Amino acid sequence: MSTKQSAPTDTARALKDQLGGGSGTTVSNKGRALRAVPEDATAGDITALRAEMQVTALSVDTWPAYGSPAWLRLDPKDPRAYAATLEAAEQHRRATAERQRLNWLMDNDPVEWWREITADANAYAGRQGHVIAARRTAEELRTARDNANNQPPHQLRATPGWPPIAIPGQPGRYLTPGQEITA
């Protein structure tokens, strides 16, 4: 009777392979050593190097984004179409590996996971702290608005050479130069 590995162990092995450990299973390369690959390179590192090497071998410097209208117009045999496809595949592989790493971190070290996913927001808040502190709160704005409508009474003063001023709320009464009254 054979023993099957459980799903978590398979997942852990795949995650370890993607993030840096390798599964330990190797394929013989018949004595040929890989060139320019560090000893501690992960499967993901080697995959990235291979993709870069393939794009370099295509002798193209620029290519349209995968799936864009410009990419769709390329001839299928155009090396730029393959370079764009390699780039998209590599971006997908890296995004998947990062998602798996974060999922593993969330399950095994939630404090570190939270620190990582909020790092950008914390850095932004740190840079914006002085701007936020300088803003008035809703209560300060409300008080300022209420105080703007509650100004002290205007002191009426008649100017010499000008006609008398009608006193508000007192029909028939006028202020002439030399008199002062609070409205």
Side-chain angles (χ1 to χ4, degrees), residues 82-178:
Y82 183 60
T85 305
L86 278 172
E87 179 185 41
E90 182 61 17
Q91 288 173 351
H92 176 72
R93 184 196 63 78
R94 289 179 184 184
T96 300
E98 179 64 7
R99 190 169 42 255
Q100 288 173 344
R101 186 187 71 80
L102 288 174
N103 287 342
W104 181 89
L105 201 57
M106 182 174 57
D107 293 340
N108 296 294
D109 190 357
V111 173
E112 180 60 26
W113 172 79
W114 181 254
R115 188 175 299 122
E116 277 196 38
I117 65 166
T118 60
D120 289 342
N122 288 337
Y124 178 76
R127 290 190 307 270
Q128 296 299 315
H130 66 283
V131 173
I132 295 168
R135 291 183 183 156
R136 297 195 310 186
T137 64
E139 185 175 345
E140 290 171 333
L141 291 171
R142 195 172 20 259
T143 302
R145 184 189 65 226
D146 292 345
N147 289 340
N149 296 334
N150 295 329
Q151 296 180 2
H154 178 67
Q155 186 77 19
L156 291 176
R157 293 189 185 149
T159 306
W162 286 83
I165 300 172
I167 299 174
Q170 298 178 9
R173 293 202 56 208
Y174 295 92
L175 183 63
T176 58

